[in-house]
Amino acid sequence: MNLEGKTYVIMGVANKRSIAWGAAQALDKMGAKLVFTILNERFRKELDKLLVELEGDHDVVVECDVQDDAAIESAFKEIGEKVGKIDGVMHAIAFAPREDLIGEYVETSRQGFQTALDISAYSLTAIANQAKEIFNEGASIVTMTYLGGERAVPNYNVMGVAKAALDSSVQYLASDLGPKGFRVNAVSAGPIRTLSSSAVGEFKSILKVIAERAPLRRNVDQLEVGNAVAFLLSDLASGITGEVLHVDSGYHIL
């Protein structure tokens, strides 16, 4: 797949284990130009170390705090000024306080619930509202979700509720943006060792279950998920919107 001439915004690279980094690697190999957002300068050093591994020259990095509407508006205005129109956004941003991922969901704090839903779900809506102003025709948004939004997964707790809200947001955004020619989809990745997953209790046992029971009898990696993201962002998926594509070795069918 050739994505030369296409420009995509990647949101959510924390380190080399990030799913967003897998997507960045896939898109880079396909010739796309990439723009990265970071929460603040603290994340720039880590990102700079990663960028040297890519084949292309992706030098536009913009700060964006997704809990601040003004910051989101400013970020996409800056992106538009620096690169012009864009062809899509990969949203891989999620967070819940660690203490709300311990114990039972029924014990979730009000503040923890609000934080998880704000960062993990509402941010997609706020980003879509600003990104659409600089979209090229046929542009696409892809976000990252998980099976815990469809079923009650042990230890996923409030993050599962946030992912359920995210999945629903994908459908409503697809409905809103479809008449404008824009697509919105999600990739539901199997469990992968990332900074976020480290907060989920008994995570190693989840990986073991997938490897033993999933139809492919193994876990997936960042690049496999990244390739699926690249597909949904590309024109090859021009007829797909409002969809959740599972990349989890088939575990979701069980």
Short mmCIF file of all heavy atoms in Angstrom, two decimals, residues 94-95 101 194-200:
data_model
loop_
_atom_site.label_atom_id
_atom_site.label_comp_id
_atom_site.label_asym_id
_atom_site.label_seq_id
_atom_site.Cartn_x
_atom_site.Cartn_y
_atom_site.Cartn_z
N ALA A 94 -5.79 7.23 26.12
CA ALA A 94 -6.67 6.69 27.15
C ALA A 94 -5.97 6.77 28.50
O ALA A 94 -4.75 6.65 28.59
CB ALA A 94 -7.04 5.24 26.84
N PHE A 95 -6.77 6.99 29.53
CA PHE A 95 -6.21 7.05 30.89
C PHE A 95 -7.30 6.86 31.92
O PHE A 95 -8.42 7.35 31.75
CB PHE A 95 -5.52 8.40 31.14
CG PHE A 95 -5.02 8.56 32.55
CD1 PHE A 95 -3.83 7.97 32.94
CD2 PHE A 95 -5.77 9.27 33.49
CE1 PHE A 95 -3.38 8.10 34.26
CE2 PHE A 95 -5.32 9.40 34.80
CZ PHE A 95 -4.12 8.82 35.19
N LEU A 101 -8.50 1.09 38.83
CA LEU A 101 -8.34 -0.15 38.08
C LEU A 101 -7.99 -1.30 39.03
O LEU A 101 -7.62 -2.38 38.60
CB LEU A 101 -7.24 0.01 37.02
CG LEU A 101 -7.54 1.03 35.92
CD1 LEU A 101 -6.33 1.20 35.01
CD2 LEU A 101 -8.76 0.61 35.11
N THR A 194 1.99 -2.36 27.05
CA THR A 194 2.18 -0.93 26.83
C THR A 194 2.23 -0.24 28.19
O THR A 194 1.98 -0.85 29.23
CB THR A 194 1.04 -0.32 26.00
OG1 THR A 194 -0.18 -0.42 26.76
CG2 THR A 194 0.88 -1.03 24.67
N LEU A 195 2.50 1.07 28.16
CA LEU A 195 2.50 1.84 29.40
C LEU A 195 1.13 1.81 30.06
O LEU A 195 1.00 1.66 31.27
CB LEU A 195 2.91 3.29 29.11
CG LEU A 195 3.12 4.20 30.32
CD1 LEU A 195 4.25 3.68 31.18
CD2 LEU A 195 3.41 5.63 29.86
N SER A 196 0.08 1.89 29.26
CA SER A 196 -1.29 1.88 29.79
C SER A 196 -1.66 0.53 30.37
O SER A 196 -2.28 0.44 31.44
CB SER A 196 -2.29 2.26 28.70
OG SER A 196 -2.07 3.57 28.23
N SER A 197 -1.28 -0.55 29.67
CA SER A 197 -1.68 -1.88 30.13
C SER A 197 -1.01 -2.27 31.44
O SER A 197 -1.50 -3.15 32.16
CB SER A 197 -1.37 -2.92 29.05
OG SER A 197 0.03 -3.06 28.88
N SER A 198 0.10 -1.62 31.76
CA SER A 198 0.81 -1.95 33.00
C SER A 198 -0.02 -1.64 34.24
O SER A 198 0.24 -2.16 35.32
CB SER A 198 2.14 -1.17 33.06
OG SER A 198 1.91 0.23 33.14
N ALA A 199 -1.06 -0.80 34.05
CA ALA A 199 -1.92 -0.44 35.19
C ALA A 199 -3.03 -1.45 35.41
O ALA A 199 -3.72 -1.41 36.43
CB ALA A 199 -2.52 0.95 34.97
N VAL A 200 -3.22 -2.36 34.46
CA VAL A 200 -4.30 -3.34 34.56
C VAL A 200 -3.82 -4.55 35.37
O VAL A 200 -2.80 -5.16 35.05
CB VAL A 200 -4.75 -3.80 33.16
CG1 VAL A 200 -5.84 -4.86 33.28
CG2 VAL A 200 -5.25 -2.61 32.36
#
